[in-house]
Amino acid sequence: MNVLCRCGKPTPLKVAWTTANPGRRFFGCSLYPKANSCRFFQWYEPPFPEQANIVISGLLKKTNKLSERERMLKFLAKVSTIFQFTFESGFVHVQIDKQLFDSM
């Protein structure tokens, strides 16, 4: 299916990931979100049943939580290589690998 926007360009088939329409496909201006976009928008298919929206939204939230945890673990792994902690006489000493720190 070849749909043209008001700019006269073919519109790509995209997927919405909003709470109201998770996973629903639509055609949109290929220039969006640039300022010169014609903001063309057209749904590709009818709305999903409410139960499908609930299930997809729940899965999307779980995926986002897992992605956030993964980003945090990667960050902590990187930080743990930069800082070296030693405990001596009741004090915590911190050494920083400046080269690794500057590359963050």
Side-chain angles (χ1 to χ4, degrees):
M1 182 176 210
N2 193 12
V3 177
L4 300 179
C5 68
R6 291 183 286 274
C7 297
K9 299 179 185 282
T11 57
L13 185 61
K14 300 178 182 183
V15 179
W17 292 113
T18 62
T19 304
N21 294 292
R24 191 169 173 199
R25 297 179 294 175
F26 66 94
F27 293 104
C29 179
S30 61
L31 299 176
Y32 183 83
K34 297 176 185 172
N36 59 344
S37 164
C38 71
R39 301 184 62 85
F40 173 83
F41 176 89
Q42 177 182 320
W43 288 115
Y44 176 73
E45 56 208 351
F48 292 157
E50 184 60 28
Q51 182 62 27
N53 283 342
I54 292 168
V55 170
I56 294 169
S57 291
L59 292 171
L60 184 58
K61 286 177 187 175
K62 287 180 181 182
T63 300
N64 289 340
K65 282 182 183 179
L66 288 172
S67 294
E68 182 58 32
R69 286 181 184 165
E70 182 182 18
R71 281 192 295 275
M72 181 57 74
L73 288 172
K74 285 180 181 178
F75 173 76
L76 291 173
K78 191 170 189 177
V79 167
S80 70
T81 63
I82 294 170
F83 298 100
Q84 296 173 358
F85 299 95
T86 55
F87 302 95
E88 187 179 311
S89 303
F91 292 96
V92 176
H93 300 276
V94 180
Q95 286 185 302
I96 300 172
D97 185 323
K98 183 160 176 25
Q99 187 176 8
L100 287 174
F101 183 79
D102 290 341
S103 70
M104 275 188 82

